[in-house]
Amino acid sequence: MDTLAAIALPVWESVHAALAPMWVEICFMLCFIMGFLLLRFDLMKKGGPAVKKQKKVVDDAPAVKTFDPRLQKAVDAEAKPSAILAIWRAGRDQAPTPVELMRAVVQAFVDEDPDRLVTEVLEHVRSHLVALGSSRLAVVVLDVVARAGMVEAMTELARALRHELLIASTLQTYEVLLGGFATAGDERRVAEVAAEMSASRVRMSARGLSLTIKGFLKNGMVTPVIQKFKEMRDLGFQVPPFAVTQLFRIACDAHRQAEAFDAVVGVAPLGSDAVAHLLEDCAKRNDFELAIRVEKQAREEKVPLIVGSYDALLKLHTVRADSRVLELFQEMQDGGVRISEGLCVDALRERQVPALRGGDRKVVPLTRRHDDLCVQRPDEGLAYCGMYDKACDLYENILEDGLEPDSNGRTQLAAQLSYKAPKLDIQNYMSLIRAAGRDRDVDRAFDVLHRLKKSGVHIDVAAYNCVLDVCVSAGDMDRARRLVEDMRSSGPIDIITLNTLLKGYCAKADLAGARRLLADMERQGFRPNDVSYNCLVNASISAGGGNFRDAWETIDSMERSGVAVDHYTISIMMKALKKSNNSRDVSRALSLLDRSGIDVYSDEILLNSVLETCIHYRETRRLESILSSYHNSSIRPSVHTYGSLIKASSTLKRLPQCWEYWHEMVESRAMQPNEIVLGCMLDALVTNRNIEQAVNLLAKWKTRVPPNTVMYSTIIKGFANTHQAERAMCMWREMRAEKLKLNTVVYNAVIDAQARVGAMEEVSELVAMMQEDNVKPDIISHSTIVKGYCVKGDVNKAFEIFRDMQKNNMVKDSIVYNTLLDGCTRNSRFDLADVLLEDMEKCNITPTNFTMGILVKMYGRRKQLDRAFEAMETLPKRHGFAPNPQVKTCLVCACINNNALDRAFEVFDDLKSAGFGADAKAYSAIISGCVRKQQTDRAVALVEEAYGLNGAPPQLAQGQTIEVESLEKLLQALSQRGQAQEVAMPLLDRLRAAKAPISGRLYTSVLGGSMPAKEMVSSGSNAAAESGAATAAAAAGETLWKSGIA
């Protein structure tokens, strides 16, 4: 112990001495540790309260919800919009949509279901406000809607996101709004957004101004663009070069090029393209003064001139006999700018320029330095001036330089040069023969052939075929036949020889001769090819009114011979169907298309032909199939094809798709629509009852595409369809004020608008003005006037006008008969209707499908159903036409109104089996008939069949829906029979899943028939109780619908 004490004592003293200066700090640390342990003693216990609390917090934390992964897969696979929306709707209540996927969802709404976009997107954001209530999502949603041109939807979304959901607007939000409103050409709303940015102290960005400028440019708004240019300069931003070029383009279209140029100078730098566009416009209008100013400014800004600029300047200086042309040529040569053939020819052709006429040798050396140019054009320029001697002298200089003369151009000069040339090869002779063919000069072609024989050059069959083609083109078949005989004696002929001769027979409409030649070809061992058969098919169709029988026999022979039908064959038959009223020819042509396996998008002519045929014959299902393949095709449509696509979409009642094609053409591809395509788009809007959009579109484009009477007539027809007679009169007065030449079509459209509302005083005014405008009323004019009196209820007056028309020998077809028959039916004047029918028989007036429809309605109202069936059976056979779907639907309605449901089903089944199928109106009628006869099971089966709820493909074309009233009556009948929960509600569920338009009104039909008033009051609100049972049903139904229970 003493030893340990002796050892420990020195150690303790050493430690004590070392820690002596730190005793205060050590004591403080020990106190802190003891206090911490005392206060948090529960942490020292395993499973103490703190641990349990922490564990409970972790357990209670909600799991992070993720959206259905199928949505990501569908977006990555570029699935159809309908598939994307189906997945999104199935999972939207369970989890918020990731922002990166929201763009695809909104785009799917735009493409597939734009009417529900705003409602469903806002509802989804409200349901997941914590996760989705960000400005990032707002920008994504608004951007997609803005790019689609849905300005009103964008406005509604922006307002709701900011004021209802309190999502703050950021710079990116404002940029999207600026671009969207500018693209719509709404200068006022653009200014409002800019003012709101200023009030919120958000600084305008370069991107925001660029988007605004881009939108205004698309709408041809010169003044607002210039203002935004100046605003960009004042804020220190540089104006994009593309904007300057586009400004000059729209300014030239508006004849404001000088104003735009003066405004841009000092505000934005000029670019080469912008300068070229201005100079080219100056050359078109011969505006020398502005061109000089533009060139001077460009040189001051050191803007490089491109070939288009030089081209315009050369033309302007040449017209003014300015020797500066040679300076510009030299400048182009020194600057390495490619000198085109056209520049040389344009310069040499100007007879007013003595310096050039005498100085052609100065221009030629400039062109010779470019091996890739056709340097033979100076001789053409001299020939244009009538200087043939100089052209031939120049030819010698060309030969000296080792250059090959060109025999294109004026054929007289080519012939002179061919005589002067020391030696020609076979290609030169063939070029001369082709030149003779362009002039249809058979003698000259044979003269060249004679010289070719004397030259000692070997003559092959191709040279003979060239001469043969000249004979055929000129219609000289006697010399063509003799030439073929000469060819046989001098050597073998080929299939091209015989096809060329066959073309001659077909051009002369000598089908018998063509068929004899085709038989001779086979006997001589020449197998006719697709060119042979197509030539004969086209000749058969072109003969007279179209010989379909011969055409089909030729196609049958073609297929039997193993020659594949190609897109030319299909196009010929499709175009020919315009002359046919035979449904069998239509079916055979479409079957031929299917059998050939040809992709309609492989040839633009074929695509247009097929679309026009399907539109004309209402082949809606085939139209759907063709349009659905558009995005998977590689076609880049022309302007004309866009018109066909818009017309096809309009036929299917797909207005959003019409807008898609329009925006793709005008915006994505920057193509200028022509009168036909603009007319197609206006017609699509009017047909789909969007008359206001049609009026706005015409007003927007009328400065760039001069409107014609067809466009105005289309708008006026829209006013007539919507009973806006006064607006139709205003547009007519506008047309007269603009000094447009009015025709019968325009006047008939305006008269129709007045007649539909019985405004016969205005009709009288229009008839008087027709005489003043030298427009002669036609049969349609008088028929429309008759209709006006029928609408007014004055059938006797209408009949008087009809008799006057008969006295003047104006009644030559069924148009006016149909109008008067319809008026008699509507006003129950069946006595006059019988007189008209007897009159039609006596005068041999051929009835039409419209006549048939009126007769079926009339006999239905008169309870003479057997006569309706008799007329349906006899009239089409006697007069050679087939009843269309509308007539058969009328017969279905007539059967139902006469309590003959079984006969209605016979007609309906016949309608379904036809190629066009039954439409929504037919289904609505037959369903209503079943409900009326209390055959609800049958009615439910029809609904399932129409929408494809029974596992089979839907029978209704896309976009068509059964009338709400028919569905409502069916649901009420089910409810009254106690089948609300078992049948009605499940049916609504399946309809909603199939994306059929379902409203709260339909749920009201179920609840109104199945729930007692007191029960509904107890489950609804006090307001419902006070309003009675009907209001309670409506409130409960609306609640169910909005809450998504169905």
Side-chain angles (χ1 to χ4, degrees):
M1 290 294 293
D2 293 338
T3 304
L4 291 173
I7 295 172
L9 185 60
V11 173
W12 168 252
E13 290 177 351
S14 299
V15 173
H16 184 273
L19 296 177
M22 302 170 60
W23 281 118
V24 176
E25 289 83 355
I26 291 171
C27 291
F28 179 78
M29 183 176 294
L30 289 172
C31 292
F32 177 79
I33 292 172
M34 291 177 66
F36 179 80
L37 293 175
L38 182 64
L39 294 173
R40 300 304 305 272
F41 183 70
D42 55 337
L43 288 175
M44 303 303 293
K45 295 182 179 180
K46 185 177 180 180
V51 176
K52 292 180 180 178
K53 182 178 180 182
Q54 183 178 5
K55 183 177 180 181
K56 185 175 184 302
V57 171
V58 172
D59 292 341
D60 291 344
V64 178
K65 295 181 180 179
T66 57
F67 208 89
D68 189 342
R70 291 183 301 163
L71 181 61
Q72 181 70 62
K73 292 179 181 178
V75 172
D76 293 341
E78 298 182 356
K80 293 182 179 180
S82 56
I84 293 175
L85 286 181
I87 297 172
W88 180 78
R89 283 168 169 155
R92 63 184 173 183
D93 295 333
Q94 284 70 40
T97 308
V99 176
E100 57 272 15
L101 293 180
M102 202 64 193
R103 180 180 295 276
V105 172
V106 177
Q107 186 61 54
F109 267 111
V110 170
D111 297 336
E112 184 71 17
D113 197 356
D115 294 337
R116 302 187 188 182
L117 189 156
V118 175
T119 303
E120 295 196 24
V121 168
L122 288 177
E123 184 179 340
H124 183 57
V125 176
R126 288 191 190 97
S127 302
H128 308 280
L129 191 57
V130 175
L132 298 179
S134 65
S135 58
R136 182 185 169 205
L137 176 112
V139 171
V140 167
V141 173
L142 292 173
D143 183 59
V144 175
V145 178
R147 289 176 185 274
M150 300 170 61
V151 180
E152 296 305 323
M154 182 186 73
T155 305
E156 187 177 351
L157 280 168
R159 181 194 59 76
L161 290 171
R162 179 169 183 182
H163 297 292
E164 295 180 17
L165 304 181
L166 304 179
I167 298 176
S169 297
T170 62
L171 174 61
Q172 289 75 22
T173 310
Y174 287 123
E175 288 174 349
V176 171
L177 294 174
L178 288 170
F181 288 133
T183 301
D186 196 332
E187 189 178 358
R188 178 183 61 81
R189 288 188 177 180
V190 168
E192 290 175 357
V193 174
E196 186 178 329
M197 291 177 67
S198 177
S200 302
R201 297 186 179 181
V202 177
R203 187 175 183 269
M204 181 66 74
S205 66
R207 183 172 183 270
L209 286 170
S210 297
L211 290 171
T212 305
I213 290 170
K214 185 178 179 181
F216 285 156
L217 286 170
K218 287 181 179 178
N219 290 278
M221 303 168 68
V222 177
T223 303
V225 171
I226 293 174
Q227 292 173 351
K228 292 301 173 184
F229 276 15
K230 294 177 180 178
E231 187 176 342
M232 287 196 81
R233 178 200 60 185
D234 295 342
L235 292 174
F237 301 133
Q238 184 174 356
V239 178
F242 85 89
V244 179
T245 305
Q246 187 65 15
L247 170 62
F248 287 162
R249 182 173 287 113
I250 65 174
C252 291
D253 292 340
H255 306 292
R256 298 174 62 185
Q257 53 278 347
E259 175 190 348
F261 173 71
D262 293 336
V264 167
V265 172
V267 175
L270 299 176
S272 298
D273 291 334
V275 170
H277 190 84
L278 266 184
L279 290 175
E280 287 170 359
D281 183 75
C282 291
K284 290 178 184 176
R285 295 179 298 98
N286 200 21
D287 191 343
F288 187 75
E289 180 183 350
L290 179 59
I292 295 301
R293 289 172 54 205
V294 173
E295 182 191 6
K296 179 181 178 183
Q297 185 65 32
R299 295 188 185 279
E300 288 179 0
E301 295 187 19
K302 299 181 179 180
V303 178
L305 298 182
I306 59 178
V307 66
S309 301
Y310 281 112
D311 191 1
L313 289 171
L314 282 167
K315 290 177 181 176
L316 287 164
H317 285 291
T318 300
V319 170
R320 282 163 179 74
D322 192 339
S323 61
R324 189 161 178 263
V325 170
L326 296 178
E327 295 177 16
L328 290 169
F329 265 109
Q330 188 63 53
E331 183 179 324
M332 293 176 70
Q333 183 69 23
D334 296 340
V337 178
R338 182 183 185 277
I339 301 174
S340 69
E341 175 185 342
L343 292 181
C344 301
V345 175
D346 287 341
L348 288 164
R349 281 180 175 176
E350 290 301 331
R351 303 185 58 154
Q352 301 93 329
V353 190
L356 293 178
R357 292 186 63 184
D360 51 274
R361 298 289 297 175
K362 296 179 182 179
V363 180
V364 175
L366 295 177
T367 65
R368 284 180 179 153
R369 301 178 192 175
H370 294 268
D371 295 337
D372 60 331
L373 295 181
C374 180
V375 301
Q376 297 86 342
R377 291 302 187 188
D379 57 1
E380 185 187 333
L382 293 169
Y384 182 85
C385 299
M387 303 164 69
Y388 294 102
D389 292 337
K390 285 192 176 184
C392 292
D393 293 339
L394 185 60
Y395 168 79
E396 297 290 348
N397 297 324
I398 292 173
L399 284 180
E400 290 174 7
D401 291 336
L403 300 172
E404 182 181 352
D406 180 14
S407 59
N408 289 331
R410 296 186 178 274
T411 55
Q412 292 181 357
L413 177 60
Q416 292 181 32
L417 292 176
S418 69
Y419 282 111
K420 194 173 181 65
K423 186 178 181 180
L424 298 176
D425 61 18
I426 188 67
Q427 294 300 324
N428 299 133
Y429 283 109
M430 291 175 67
S431 296
L432 290 170
I433 294 170
R434 292 190 187 99
R438 286 194 291 272
D439 292 340
R440 297 178 181 273
D441 192 337
V442 179
D443 292 333
R444 196 165 86 233
F446 273 95
D447 179 61
V448 175
L449 180 62
H450 180 67
R451 288 170 51 202
L452 175 58
K453 290 179 179 179
K454 292 177 61 177
S455 69
V457 177
H458 173 69
I459 306 177
D460 59 9
V461 69
Y464 279 110
N465 286 340
C466 276
V467 181
L468 180 62
D469 188 65
V470 176
C471 296
V472 167
S473 300
D476 194 341
M477 290 302 294
D478 291 336
R479 297 185 75 172
R481 282 189 290 267
R482 291 199 299 268
L483 178 60
V484 172
E485 293 304 319
D486 292 342
M487 292 172 66
R488 292 181 193 273
S489 61
S490 61
I493 60 175
D494 59 10
I495 188 67
I496 297 175
T497 307
L498 296 172
N499 277 340
T500 305
L501 190 60
L502 182 68
K503 183 175 73 173
Y505 282 114
C506 292
K508 286 285 189 179
D510 186 358
L511 295 181
R515 291 193 178 279
R516 285 195 301 270
L517 178 59
L518 198 68
D520 289 342
M521 290 170 64
E522 295 176 343
R523 282 195 297 269
Q524 296 168 25
F526 290 101
R527 184 168 176 262
N529 57 16
D530 55 343
V531 177
S532 315
Y533 285 111
N534 285 337
C535 188
L536 197 53
V537 169
N538 188 57
S540 300
I541 292 300
S542 302
N547 193 334
F548 279 88
R549 181 177 178 181
D550 282 353
W552 287 122
E553 287 179 358
T554 304
I555 292 174
D556 291 340
S557 300
M558 184 178 185
E559 292 184 309
R560 283 196 302 269
S561 301
V563 178
V565 170
D566 60 8
H567 60 274
Y568 291 110
T569 319
I570 305 294
S571 297
I572 292 168
M573 295 308 298
M574 291 297 170
K575 290 179 181 178
L577 290 175
K578 295 178 181 178
K579 306 176 183 178
S580 173
N581 291 322
N582 192 332
S583 59
R584 186 169 178 270
D585 288 328
V586 179
S587 300
R588 287 192 71 176
L590 294 175
S591 297
L592 181 65
L593 173 62
D594 296 334
R595 204 163 57 248
S596 69
I598 296 173
D599 179 10
V600 293
Y601 286 102
S602 63
D603 181 80
E604 199 163 1
I605 295 175
L606 174 62
L607 174 62
N608 282 289
S609 301
V610 174
L611 286 176
E612 288 172 8
T613 300
C614 293
I615 292 168
H616 183 73
Y617 290 99
R618 310 295 296 181
E619 289 285 337
T620 54
R621 293 178 184 172
R622 189 175 293 272
L623 278 178
E624 287 178 1
S625 175
I626 294 172
L627 295 183
S628 65
S629 304
Y630 173 76
H631 291 292
N632 296 326
S633 70
S634 58
I635 191 172
R636 290 180 63 80
S638 63
V639 171
H640 175 75
T641 304
Y642 275 116
S644 298
L645 291 168
I646 290 170
K647 192 187 297 184
S649 301
S650 173
T651 302
L652 296 176
K653 306 298 182 184
R654 296 182 182 178
L655 190 57
Q657 196 167 9
C658 296
W659 278 119
E660 180 182 337
Y661 292 131
W662 177 266
H663 291 312
E664 179 180 311
M665 174 184 64
V666 174
E667 298 176 6
S668 302
R669 298 185 60 196
M671 299 171 74
Q672 175 87 358
N674 56 25
E675 296 177 356
I676 296 174
V677 179
L678 179 55
C680 289
M681 190 65 209
L682 292 173
D683 184 70
L685 292 169
V686 169
T687 304
N688 288 277
R689 295 192 172 273
N690 280 266
I691 182 64
E692 296 304 326
Q693 291 186 22
V695 172
N696 295 336
L697 186 68
L698 180 61
K700 177 180 176 179
W701 281 92
K702 66 190 301 184
T703 57
R704 282 172 281 180
V705 181
N708 54 29
T709 53
V710 176
M711 298 181 197
Y712 279 113
S713 299
T714 302
I715 301 292
I716 291 171
K717 287 175 184 175
F719 290 144
N721 293 336
T722 53
H723 299 284
Q724 300 184 60
E726 183 57 39
R727 293 186 71 181
M729 289 291 286
C730 289
M731 181 156 284
W732 167 70
R733 294 188 180 99
E734 178 186 329
M735 293 175 69
R736 298 190 84 243
E738 293 179 1
K739 306 298 182 183
L740 285 175
K741 185 174 178 58
L742 304 185
N743 56 20
T744 312
V745 176
V746 175
Y747 268 105
N748 287 345
V750 187
I751 291 173
D752 182 52
Q754 311 310 311
R756 289 184 182 223
V757 297
M760 300 312 294
E761 293 182 3
E762 285 76 6
V763 170
S764 300
E765 177 188 351
L766 289 166
V767 172
M769 295 308 297
M770 288 180 78
Q771 296 178 350
E772 184 176 321
D773 291 338
N774 295 319
V775 178
K776 188 176 181 180
D778 60 6
I779 181 67
I780 298 177
S781 310
H782 290 92
S783 176
T784 308
I785 296 171
V786 168
K787 180 174 69 175
Y789 282 111
C790 290
V791 170
K792 198 175 181 180
D794 193 348
V795 180
N796 291 329
K797 180 66 176 177
F799 213 85
E800 288 179 17
I801 296 175
F802 169 70
R803 290 305 186 196
D804 289 338
M805 293 172 65
Q806 283 184 315
K807 291 177 184 177
N808 295 321
N809 198 28
M810 296 181 64
V811 183
K812 298 179 180 179
D813 55 29
S814 63
I815 294 176
V816 68
Y817 277 102
N818 292 338
T819 303
L820 200 49
L821 274 173
D822 186 58
C824 292
T825 302
R826 292 176 183 274
N827 291 277
S828 299
R829 291 296 304 272
F830 301 128
D831 54 331
L832 290 179
D834 291 336
V835 172
L836 285 171
L837 290 175
E838 293 175 3
D839 212 32
M840 288 183 74
E841 286 284 339
K842 187 187 305 180
C843 298
N844 294 319
I845 300 297
T846 303
T848 63
N849 267 307
F850 193 70
T851 316
M852 280 298 311
I854 297 170
L855 290 179
V856 168
K857 289 179 184 177
M858 182 183 72
Y859 288 134
R861 290 189 180 185
R862 297 171 75 172
K863 305 301 181 183
Q864 298 174 346
L865 192 58
D866 289 337
R867 293 190 66 181
F869 274 91
E870 180 185 350
M872 192 76 141
E873 182 69 24
T874 58
L875 286 181
K877 289 182 180 179
R878 191 189 312 164
H879 298 282
F881 68 92
N884 62 20
Q886 290 75 24
V887 173
K888 293 185 178 181
T889 302
C890 286
L891 188 56
V892 170
C893 295
C895 292
I896 291 170
N897 291 332
N898 284 268
N899 296 318
L901 186 60
D902 291 338
R903 299 184 75 176
F905 264 99
E906 291 176 7
V907 180
F908 183 73
D909 291 339
D910 179 54
L911 183 58
K912 287 194 298 180
S913 63
F916 33 74
D919 62 6
K921 189 169 184 179
Y923 269 101
S924 301
I926 197 75
I927 288 170
S928 297
C930 291
V931 172
R932 188 185 302 178
K933 299 293 288 185
Q934 298 183 356
Q935 297 185 20
T936 53
D937 293 343
R938 218 169 178 183
V940 170
L942 286 167
V943 174
E944 293 173 341
E945 176 183 279
Y947 288 105
L949 306 181
N950 55 0
Q955 295 300 303
L956 285 182
Q958 188 173 357
Q960 291 193 9
T961 57
I962 296 174
E963 295 174 2
V964 174
E965 185 178 356
S966 299
L967 282 178
E968 187 176 353
K969 289 180 179 178
L970 171 60
L971 295 171
Q972 287 176 349
L974 289 170
S975 300
Q976 290 168 0
R977 298 182 64 178
Q979 295 179 310
Q981 299 302 320
E982 295 179 3
V983 181
M985 292 300 288
L987 179 62
L988 283 174
D989 290 342
R990 287 185 293 157
L991 284 171
R992 188 175 184 185
K995 294 186 299 185
I998 302 299
S999 66
R1001 178 177 166 185
L1002 293 178
Y1003 284 99
T1004 301
S1005 303
V1006 178
L1007 295 171
S1010 62
M1011 292 177 62
K1014 292 182 179 180
E1015 185 178 340
M1016 286 187 287
V1017 168
S1018 63
S1019 62
S1021 61
N1022 292 331
E1026 294 173 2
S1027 305
T1031 308
E1038 195 71 19
T1039 303
L1040 277 176
W1041 176 59
K1042 289 184 176 180
S1043 63
I1045 288 177

